[in-house]
């Protein structure tokens, strides 16, 4: 049978044996056909499995019984979790994506270190529902163990402090009836998880799924304590915790002071008068600049006596401020009433006011990390209707994100394709598309799987260099 449509010639010789041949282009110089050769589209999952294999994560999961009322499962919990982490590393969190492994289960099973079998879509969904959020503590601890096993040390700032950025990021799950989906402060229905990152690279250290309507401070004291504990398991260096104004609570300050952490917390003025701050700055401020005509910036610090109701402690805290007075807007239009903008921060750093402000502005980089998780890994619209299952998926996303981040950071400075500018951090999308979703020709020899990388792939050298350096793969 021959079908001709514009410049596409399609010849189907036999639908039963998948013997297809397609000629592309008017000059018929490109032919597409099916082949029986094993060409794997996601060879990078072998690296994912090797990184996971350095810890005892899967073994611990296999010994946990999350469905006590059922008989022993043929497919272990470890196989379920490893399969799903592999899907997340491909940027495909939806349960039906497991079918992409159907045509060569033997390779994916070997690549990810799966002991029994890759589960079906139905088994994957049901077991994830059974597990729910019961493995949260295990996953968080094993995430730190995986980073430590791969000799990951978060990079400090120039002053030796390790930044820990904590923030809430709304996830749009509108037009769905998922459990826990409600109105977020962004004005759409969804979830509002809290996320914590460590180091200048942005390694994930703690994720917690929350209902969209939950106030960002609710549960934050416990989240802070848990995050600091995990950070101290990974590094001995002093921590600099940065929080937005939604978490302006002296209870948070009490936790950070108790744990010996440095912090910068954006203050919420609440009922404080802007005019009061402005008058104080005009009277006492020593650092006054005029960046342009009609704009004056006052930078300085004040000291305030505060108390924590939860911990029943009192503190004298430094409140840094940056107050901007505008009498002429940026377009040159004179204002009848001066516009006064007041920004303040809690901090216990001994740095200058400008340095503190610069360090807080760097906190905004965590928005990039949020974007990579929600967009590059496609985790914004969580796939399950159950809150506990979605919480598990987000926690597994933490491990998958760190694996992709480790691969990305480990390939910087090697024989990468030419780029316009110096790369400090490789975006997750780049890692997935160029390193995880790397096609290879797979053969078997002496009971070992051999992945052949094509000479036309410009990323093959950087991929091989990473394997040789970080996971000790030899010929």
């Amino acid at each position: 049978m021959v079908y001709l449509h514009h410049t596409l010639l399609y010849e189907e010789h036999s639908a039963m044996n998948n013997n297809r041949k397609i000629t592309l282009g008017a000059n018929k110089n490109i032919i597409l056909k099916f082949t029986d050769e094993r060409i794997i589209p996601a060879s990078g999952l072998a690296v994912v499995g090797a990184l996971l294999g350095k810890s005892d994560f899967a073994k611990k999961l296999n010994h946990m019984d999350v469905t006590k009322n059922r008989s022993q499962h043929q497919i272990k919990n470890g196989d379920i979790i490893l399969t799903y982490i592999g899907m997340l590393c491909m940027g495909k969190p939806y349960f039906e994506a497991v079918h992409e492994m159907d045509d060569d289960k033997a390779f994916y099973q070997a690549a990810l270190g799966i002991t029994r079998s890759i589960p079906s879509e139905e088994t994957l969904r049901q077991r994830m529902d059974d597990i729910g959020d019961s493995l949260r503590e295990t996953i968080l601890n094993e995430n730190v163990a995986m980073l430590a096993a791969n000799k990951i040390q978060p990079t400090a700032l120039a002053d030796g402090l390790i930044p820990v950025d904590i923030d809430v990021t709304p996830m749009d799950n509108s037009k769905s009836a998922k459990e826990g989906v409600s109105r977020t402060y962004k004005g759409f229905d969804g979830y509002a998880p809290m996320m914590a990152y460590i180091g200048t690279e942005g390694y994930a250290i703690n994720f917690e799924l929350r209902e969209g309507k939950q106030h960002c401070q609710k549960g934050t004291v416990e989240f802070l304590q848990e995050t600091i504990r995990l950070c101290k398991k990974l590094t001995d260096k002093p921590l600099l915790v940065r929080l937005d104004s939604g978490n302006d609570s002296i209870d948070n300050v009490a936790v950070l002071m108790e744990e010996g952490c440095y912090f910068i917390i954006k203050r919420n003025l609440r009922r404080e008068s802007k005019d009061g701050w402005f008058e104080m700055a005009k009277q006492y401020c020593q650092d006054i600049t005029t960046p342009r005509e009609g704009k004056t910036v006052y930078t300085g610090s004040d000291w305030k006596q505060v108390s924590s109701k939860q911990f029943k402690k009192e503190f004298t805290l430094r409140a840094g401020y940056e107050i901007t007075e505008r009498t002429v807007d940026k377009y040159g239009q004179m204002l009848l009433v001066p516009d006064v903008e007041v920004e303040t921060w809690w901090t216990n750093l001994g740095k200058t006011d400008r340095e503190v402000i610069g360090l807080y502005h760097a906190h905004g980089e965590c928005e990039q990390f949020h974007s990579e998780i929600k967009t590059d890994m496609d985790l914004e619209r969580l796939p399950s209707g159950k809150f506990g299952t979605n919480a598990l998926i987000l926690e597994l996303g933490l491990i998958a994100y760190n694996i992709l981040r480790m691969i990305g950071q480990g390939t910087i400075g090697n024989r990468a394709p030419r780029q316009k500018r110096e790369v400090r951090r490789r975006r997750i999308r780049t890692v997935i598309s160029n390193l995880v979703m790397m096609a290879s020709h797979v053969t078997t020899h002496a009971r070992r799987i051999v992945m052949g990388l094509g000479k036309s792939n410009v990323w093959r050298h950087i991929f091989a260099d990473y394997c040789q350096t970080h996971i000790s793969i030899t010929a």
Side-chain angles (χ1 to χ4, degrees):
M1 299 174 63
V2 179
Y3 302 89
L4 184 62
H5 180 66
H6 297 295
T7 60
L8 173 65
L9 177 64
Y10 176 87
E11 301 177 15
E12 183 176 351
H13 299 289
S14 173
M16 298 300 294
N17 59 8
N18 287 329
N19 185 13
R20 297 181 179 181
K21 185 176 180 180
I22 302 173
T23 303
L24 305 176
N27 56 4
K28 303 181 182 180
N29 60 347
I30 298 178
I31 297 176
L32 183 152
K33 70 174 184 177
F34 282 12
T35 176
D36 292 331
E37 297 182 44
R38 295 178 70 187
I39 300 175
I40 302 296
S43 304
L45 290 183
V47 177
V48 173
L51 293 174
L52 282 169
K54 290 187 178 183
S55 65
D56 296 330
F57 183 41
K59 292 181 180 178
K60 291 181 179 179
L61 292 177
N62 287 336
H63 288 91
M64 293 182 178
D65 187 4
V66 296
T67 53
K68 296 181 179 180
N69 296 327
R70 299 187 185 181
S71 58
Q72 184 68 24
H73 294 289
Q74 291 298 314
I75 299 180
K76 299 294 184 181
N77 295 329
D79 293 352
I80 298 290
I81 298 301
L82 289 174
T83 300
Y84 198 77
I85 290 176
M87 293 162 56
L88 289 172
C89 287
M90 293 191 292
K92 300 175 181 180
Y94 295 93
F95 296 116
E96 54 268 25
V98 74
H99 291 300
E100 297 189 15
M101 302 181 183
D102 287 349
D103 288 342
D104 203 327
K105 289 187 176 182
F107 171 80
Y108 293 107
Q109 184 175 336
L112 293 170
I114 294 172
T115 56
R116 294 289 182 89
S117 176
I118 291 176
S120 65
E121 176 188 345
E122 294 75 18
T123 300
L124 180 64
R125 183 188 298 272
Q126 292 168 8
R127 190 73 64 81
M128 296 280 281
D129 287 344
D130 290 339
I131 295 172
D133 201 24
S134 63
L135 297 179
R136 172 175 170 77
E137 185 175 354
T138 301
I139 291 173
L140 293 178
N141 288 328
E142 289 303 314
N143 174 60
V144 174
M146 179 189 70
L147 292 173
N150 288 282
K151 300 179 180 179
I152 297 299
Q153 283 295 316
T155 302
L157 300 169
D159 56 6
L161 298 178
I162 300 291
V164 178
D165 293 301
I166 301 176
D167 192 23
V168 169
T169 176
M171 289 181 167
D172 188 351
N173 281 256
S174 55
K175 298 183 180 180
S176 69
K178 300 172 186 176
E179 184 181 0
V181 168
S182 50
R183 205 68 171 173
T184 67
Y185 67 85
K186 286 289 189 180
F188 53 72
D189 293 336
Y191 296 108
M194 178 163 271
M195 299 181 174
Y197 308 91
I198 187 171
T200 58
E201 304 91 348
Y203 290 107
I205 197 71
N206 195 359
F207 288 175
E208 180 182 82
L209 187 65
R210 298 177 171 185
E211 295 184 3
K213 63 183 180 182
Q214 181 173 326
H215 190 277
C216 59
Q217 178 55 28
K218 183 179 179 181
T220 298
V221 168
E222 295 76 16
F223 184 88
L224 261 179
Q225 293 170 331
E226 185 178 50
T227 300
I228 294 170
R229 175 183 63 82
L230 295 168
C231 291
K232 289 185 174 180
K233 290 177 66 176
L234 187 61
T235 181
D236 296 328
K237 295 181 180 179
L239 305 176
L240 172 61
V241 179
R242 299 183 286 201
L243 293 161
D244 286 336
S245 59
N247 298 116
D248 173 18
S249 169
I250 303 304
D251 294 336
N252 295 340
V253 172
V255 171
L256 295 168
M257 296 284 279
E258 178 69 23
E259 296 290 344
C261 298
Y262 295 98
F263 58 85
I264 304 175
I265 303 175
K266 180 74 175 293
R267 293 183 72 249
N268 185 342
L269 291 179
R270 297 183 174 91
R271 297 181 181 179
E272 295 180 16
S273 168
K274 287 186 178 181
D275 293 335
W277 276 96
F278 184 39
E279 291 302 322
M280 182 274 294
K282 287 195 295 185
Q283 185 174 358
Y284 298 108
C285 182
Q286 301 296 316
D287 185 357
I288 304 174
T289 58
T290 307
R292 61 170 174 82
E293 183 183 357
K295 179 179 179 181
T296 306
V297 180
Y298 301 81
T299 306
S301 291
D302 193 15
W303 295 87
K304 292 186 176 293
Q305 190 76 21
V306 295
S307 60
S308 167
K309 294 182 180 179
Q310 180 174 342
F311 296 96
K312 298 179 180 178
K313 293 183 178 180
E314 292 188 354
F315 306 95
T316 301
L317 291 180
R318 176 186 175 187
Y321 61 81
E322 184 179 62
I323 300 174
T324 305
E325 179 194 26
R326 296 180 179 88
T327 57
V328 178
D329 67 14
K330 62 182 179 180
Y331 302 108
Q333 177 66 49
M334 297 185 67
L335 304 176
L336 292 176
V337 179
D339 176 51
V340 177
E341 179 183 345
V342 178
E343 292 185 295
T344 62
W345 298 267
W346 294 123
T347 185
N348 61 345
L349 289 170
K351 297 181 177 297
T352 66
D353 299 307
R354 290 181 180 274
E355 288 174 334
V356 170
I357 292 170
L359 286 172
Y360 179 77
H361 287 169
H363 168 67
E365 193 171 11
C366 70
E367 296 294 338
Q368 177 70 39
F369 308 147
H370 296 333
S371 172
E372 291 178 286
I373 290 166
K374 294 193 289 187
T375 304
D376 299 358
M377 296 179 66
D378 199 18
L379 271 176
E380 180 158 24
R381 295 190 69 88
L382 295 169
S384 177
K386 297 185 177 181
F387 185 84
T389 306
N390 284 333
L392 171 63
I393 289 169
L394 187 64
E395 289 152 12
L396 294 178
L398 175 146
I399 290 182
Y401 168 86
N402 278 338
I403 290 172
L404 296 172
R405 179 66 73 209
M406 284 191 289
I407 295 173
Q409 293 305 113
T411 58
I412 291 176
N414 294 333
R415 290 180 286 180
R418 184 177 300 175
Q419 293 163 322
K420 291 183 179 180
R421 59 186 66 86
E422 182 181 357
V423 176
R424 293 189 303 107
R425 189 183 66 251
R426 209 176 289 285
R427 189 179 172 96
I428 296 298
R429 179 186 301 165
T430 302
V431 177
I432 293 175
S433 61
N434 293 323
L435 296 169
V436 175
M437 302 302 292
M438 174 178 282
S440 70
H441 181 259
V442 174
T443 56
T444 55
H445 176 71
R447 292 185 293 181
R448 294 200 298 178
I449 294 176
V450 180
M451 298 190 308
L453 304 180
K455 67 178 182 179
S456 301
N457 191 330
V458 297
W459 289 85
R460 68 189 187 280
H461 290 297
I462 195 170
F463 182 85
D465 290 345
Y466 180 84
C467 292
Q468 186 173 19
T469 304
H470 293 85
I471 51 182
S472 301
I473 294 182
T474 58

